[in-house]
Amino acid sequence: MSTQQQSPAWKALEVHQQALADTQMRDLFAQNPQRFAHFSLQVCDILFDYSKNRLTAETLALLQNLARASGLEMWRERMFNGAAINNTEKRAALHVALRNRSNRPILVDGKDVMPEVNTVLEKMRSFCQRVQEGEWLGHTGKPIESIVNIGIGGSDLGPKMVTEALQNFRHPRLHTYFDSNLDAAQLNRILSIVNPETTLFIVASKTFSTQETLTNARSARQWLLEHLQDETAVRKHFVAVSTHTQRVKEFGIDPQNMFEFWDWVGGRYSLWSAIGLSIAVTIGMDNYLRLLSGAHQMDEHFRTEPLERNMPVLLGLIGVWYSNFWNTSTQAILPYDYALKLLPFYLQQLEMESNGKRVTRDGVPVEYHTCPVVWGTAGNNGQHAYYQLLHQGTQLIPADFIVAIKSQAHKYGHQNPVLANALAQTRALMLGRNEAETRATLGDALDEEYLPHRLFPGNQPSNILMYDRLTPEILGSLIALYEHKVFVQSVCWGINPFDQWGVELGKQMAAELLPALEGEANVGSYDSSTQGLLAFIRGLR
Ligand code: F6P
């Protein structure tokens, strides 16, 4: 059994949870008119209101004890100093170096990585300028109008989410598309829209061996050559982002057109590296650097602030509080900012691929919950889909509301209703509506028989992260906030958040099954379900 659960800090939280088990948040608010002031924090132009949670000052102190007892300050220092904290892959996790706008030297194996980071940023700048200014020409001499990023996982979700969120900063001539799915339908749809003469493909893959990405990239190249009828066209229409020069060459992309990054950048932490090329080319390098600056500000806050006033620490610890002491198993992410509609999908990989682990760093099985299931959509749409369950279902579901005061759209005046809904939902979740209030509200309209249906238990926790209008800086800070939240939680759970061995088995079995689908292999050794399914597929072909 892992030692986390045996620690006095963990045990103290178990006892404390029992004392709070019947406490209603509405009573906590009534008892303390200063509750918002006590349980909110502003950092990097983001307001974090964590007052609508089942917690007191004592809860936070006990959670901070747990973080300290788990060595959070030590692990934080080791991460920022380039130690090989990703133990199973024997490497550092240094995404913070990619956005280290102060240029403070950061050493990996005794070597400062900042000069290399800055060289790649310069190469990206020159490329982005050439594309944006119409100097990078396609094979037939026309400027680029469409960018297609081919990648999956971290080589897709981050770039896609950010590019979508910062559409207001897009160069007016450039349209950017993201192709990730192995089903050719996605690529087909994109290729039916874009023009081969004016399209640039960015093949983004850390390993340059990912089946989905290479399959899609080969098909895209085939499509290009069918239209342009000249092998040399590939040079003008394909660039690569990878850590693996040899594989890029083998694919047929000129290493001159390759943007490098390093094994100490995890896939889901890579939008800050050249994997962010699709973002940079769409919104321009200056705006991309603003994104990096926002993340760097949050890094500095996380690195230097005491745990008590540290936003990623608080956000992470509140999550631990619910997962481990209230037994919750999911976490909702609810953006009230349409620009961030893809954020829940991005956070699914960030959180679940990082912390969806069942053994500690040393390989000891854990006996407590680690990462919750992360889910959500644009909040306003969710209200008309699954909020029913949040208000009257049987599960305790912590929710993060991410709220922009101003929309990316400057007209039509929808924003007051948006804000009213966001505030009302968190308030309704917290307060609920008891019998007396229901009677007073509904009066004669209440059908006695159906009274239980009209009651709201309340006491449902939520965080609010609120900012003015989303800018590249704020978005950078927000993403870094969640990255560090995930790190804080990993430390409390004693796990390595930077590997992802759980994705391997399915990949291996798919490779083994492919010959059976291509009709080459004997299917006798598979389980009866797989055999039956293979037979069904063959029957319909
Ligand atoms: O299969 C999971 C994963 O390895 C992710 O961690 C990664 O973001 C994704 O695949 C894509 O990998 P690559 O960038 O090497 O193609």
Side-chain angles (χ1 to χ4, degrees):
M1 186 194 287
S2 105
T3 51
Q4 303 296 104
Q5 234 174 343
Q6 306 305 315
S7 72
W10 190 286
K11 294 214 172 300
L13 279 158
E14 282 174 343
V15 173
H16 177 66
Q17 189 278 334
Q18 280 165 24
L20 275 193
D22 296 323
T23 302
Q24 297 294 309
M25 280 188 268
R26 57 160 62 198
D27 296 331
L28 296 175
F29 272 93
Q31 286 155 15
N32 178 7
Q34 298 301 311
R35 189 167 167 84
F36 170 77
H38 291 163
F39 299 108
S40 62
L41 178 67
Q42 276 188 60
V43 174
C44 302
D45 296 322
I46 299 172
L47 167 71
F48 176 29
D49 172 12
Y50 50 101
S51 60
K52 295 195 199 76
N53 279 295
R54 297 183 181 189
L55 55 78
T56 63
E58 188 186 354
T59 319
L60 293 177
L62 292 174
L63 285 165
Q64 282 143 18
N65 287 347
L66 177 69
R68 285 202 175 88
S70 308
L72 178 59
E73 285 141 318
M74 178 269 288
W75 284 106
R76 179 178 62 179
E77 201 180 313
R78 296 192 73 206
M79 177 172 75
F80 277 95
N81 289 336
I85 56 174
N86 178 355
N87 62 329
T88 62
E89 296 183 304
K90 301 185 178 54
R91 46 177 87 138
L94 258 190
H95 38 288
V96 294
L98 301 167
R99 59 218 192 193
N100 171 22
R101 304 305 297 151
S102 72
N103 267 321
R104 177 176 70 86
I106 298 185
L107 309 184
V108 173
D109 299 329
K111 182 179 161 212
D112 183 10
V113 298
M114 290 315 299
E116 276 186 303
V117 167
N118 291 328
T119 303
V120 174
L121 285 172
E122 270 318 302
K123 185 170 174 180
M124 287 170 69
R125 175 182 287 287
S126 131
F127 172 78
C128 292
Q129 260 167 8
R130 288 179 65 200
V131 174
Q132 287 214 334
E133 287 166 17
E135 286 167 17
W136 181 293
L137 301 176
H139 184 63
T140 57
K142 296 186 179 162
I144 298 302
E145 289 173 358
S146 303
I147 311 287
V148 181
N149 186 85
I150 301 180
I152 196 164
S155 303
D156 168 67
L157 289 162
K160 184 166 61 184
M161 183 272 287
V162 172
T163 303
E164 180 65 32
L166 299 178
Q167 277 296 303
N168 273 12
F169 298 83
R170 176 175 71 80
H171 188 282
R173 198 186 66 253
L174 296 173
H175 293 272
T176 306
Y177 305 86
F178 290 85
D179 178 45
S180 54
N181 201 290
L182 192 51
D183 184 335
Q186 188 184 19
L187 180 63
N188 223 26
R189 193 170 299 174
I190 296 169
L191 297 183
S192 71
I193 301 169
V194 299
N195 173 356
E197 291 180 76
T198 56
T199 298
L200 182 83
F201 294 93
I202 300 176
V203 186
S205 176
K206 179 176 172 179
T207 54
F208 230 77
S209 64
T210 303
Q211 184 189 40
E212 292 86 344
T213 301
L214 292 189
T215 307
N216 282 325
R218 279 189 211 104
S219 300
R221 186 175 55 186
Q222 187 185 332
W223 170 85
L224 185 88
L225 294 180
E226 276 164 13
H227 285 87
L228 300 184
Q229 297 289 327
D230 185 348
E231 271 288 332
T232 63
V234 172
R235 211 175 337 128
K236 300 282 182 60
H237 293 269
F238 273 80
V239 301
V241 183
S242 186
T243 57
H244 214 292
T245 315
Q246 187 52 35
R247 290 182 188 150
V248 169
K249 261 197 222 161
E250 280 161 17
F251 181 86
I253 296 179
D254 184 347
Q256 295 277 339
N257 290 346
M258 172 181 156
F259 297 81
E260 187 197 6
F261 66 112
W262 307 274
D263 71 353
W264 42 261
V265 182
R268 53 196 171 276
Y269 300 87
S270 63
L271 71 89
W272 320 102
S273 72
I275 288 287
L277 191 64
S278 52
I279 306 171
V281 74
T282 309
I283 67 174
M285 198 61 193
D286 287 342
N287 287 323
Y288 180 70
L289 292 181
R290 290 173 61 192
L291 180 84
L292 268 50
S293 296
H296 177 60
Q297 283 170 39
M298 185 58 78
D299 292 342
E300 287 303 281
H301 165 78
F302 176 57
R303 188 169 73 87
T304 57
E305 276 299 307
L307 305 191
E308 291 74 11
R309 303 293 296 163
N310 193 309
M311 198 183 274
V313 172
L314 290 166
L315 188 63
L317 291 179
I318 291 169
V320 167
W321 176 229
Y322 290 117
S323 288
N324 300 113
F325 302 97
W326 294 84
N327 218 18
T328 58
S329 51
T330 85
Q331 166 72 56
I333 304 289
L334 307 168
Y336 281 74
D337 183 348
Y338 190 69
L340 290 183
K341 65 179 187 295
L342 299 181
L343 184 69
F345 306 105
Y346 165 77
L347 290 181
Q348 283 182 329
Q349 187 198 17
L350 176 64
E351 301 222 11
M352 295 200 274
E353 198 172 82
S354 297
N355 281 343
K357 308 283 167 66
R358 57 191 299 113
V359 295
T360 64
R361 278 180 221 101
D362 306 323
V364 180
V366 300
E367 296 196 355
Y368 41 85
H369 281 180
T370 56
C371 191
V373 174
V374 175
W375 60 281
T377 54
N380 210 241
N381 298 71
Q383 285 176 214
H384 298 272
Y386 49 76
Y387 275 38
Q388 162 67 38
L389 181 147
L390 298 183
H391 287 290
Q392 290 186 320
T394 54
Q395 299 190 42
L396 182 65
I397 299 183
D400 288 357
F401 285 69
I402 298 163
V403 183
I405 296 175
K406 298 185 186 120
S407 163
Q408 296 289 300
H410 293 248
K411 50 185 180 179
Y412 303 129
H414 293 199
Q415 206 54 15
N416 283 339
V418 170
L419 292 170
N421 273 284
L423 298 186
Q425 289 297 334
T426 60
R427 186 171 144 73
L429 286 168
M430 183 269 283
L431 284 177
R433 194 175 69 189
N434 61 26
E435 184 177 332
E437 289 159 346
T438 300
R439 288 187 187 286
T441 308
L442 298 183
D444 291 343
L446 175 66
D447 184 339
E448 276 302 322
E449 191 187 347
Y450 297 122
L451 173 66
H453 299 265
R454 310 303 298 270
L455 303 178
F456 294 76
N459 218 23
Q460 287 282 358
S462 63
N463 292 313
I464 290 198
L465 292 161
M466 189 180 273
Y467 45 85
D468 189 41
R469 177 176 282 127
L470 193 73
T471 59
E473 288 88 349
I474 291 175
L475 181 57
S477 299
L478 190 66
I479 300 170
L481 167 65
Y482 273 95
E483 286 180 346
H484 296 318
K485 167 213 159 167
V486 166
F487 179 71
V488 167
Q489 296 188 330
S490 76
V491 171
C492 293
W493 293 326
I495 58 181
N496 174 9
F498 298 116
D499 60 12
Q500 56 284 317
W501 299 108
V503 303
E504 296 296 325
L505 181 60
K507 286 186 194 175
Q508 176 206 317
M509 287 197 182
E512 286 163 11
L513 270 164
L514 190 58
L517 282 153
E518 287 170 348
E520 293 166 18
N522 177 356
V523 298
S525 59
Y526 297 120
D527 59 88
S528 67
S529 165
T530 306
Q531 286 190 42
L533 294 167
L534 283 168
F536 186 70
I537 294 167
R538 285 177 177 162
L540 284 181
R541 275 184 171 167

